[in-house]
Amino acid sequence: MSISDLIAAEAEAAERNRDAGLEPGSRVTRGHQRAKTLQVRLNAEELEALTRLAERRGLPVSTLARDILLTQLAGSGESAGALIARIRAELDDLASRVA
């Protein structure tokens, strides 16, 4: 089996079991302790607004989204549900002003 075949097989296995936990001894290799992915669904206008803002700031979209989320979490005494509702309302407001 070639290296390409091994990589393809590993990628396929990882996609089949996306929520698998890290095994003891596993190491996050991106230089930080982040090991989970949060998936957020945005409509086209919301994504476009976020993308433009990220481009203006010279950041990847995911970095900007994480920064916005972490900033909100750090400065908030709100419940998670209230925080999510407020972030959604702010994104809707941003999308309406950009459109």
Side-chain angles (χ1 to χ4, degrees), residues 12-60:
E12 185 178 315
E15 287 298 314
R16 280 194 312 266
N17 194 11
R18 290 182 175 191
D19 294 328
L22 295 175
E23 294 185 18
S26 296
R27 200 175 74 168
V28 176
T29 59
R30 294 197 64 193
H32 52 71
Q33 296 300 314
R34 293 183 174 94
K36 298 286 182 178
T37 299
L38 172 67
Q39 187 175 51
V40 178
R41 300 207 184 272
L42 302 174
N43 64 35
E45 294 82 19
E46 293 165 340
L47 180 58
E48 186 178 314
L50 189 61
T51 300
R52 281 196 305 266
L53 181 58
E55 287 172 355
R56 284 195 305 267
R57 293 185 181 182
L59 297 170

Side-chain angles (χ1 to χ4, degrees), residues 69 72-73 76-90:
L69 181 60
Q72 293 296 316
L73 288 172
S76 175
E78 296 173 299
S79 71
L83 176 61
I84 290 168
R86 188 167 55 76
I87 290 172
R88 168 56 93 175
E90 289 174 3

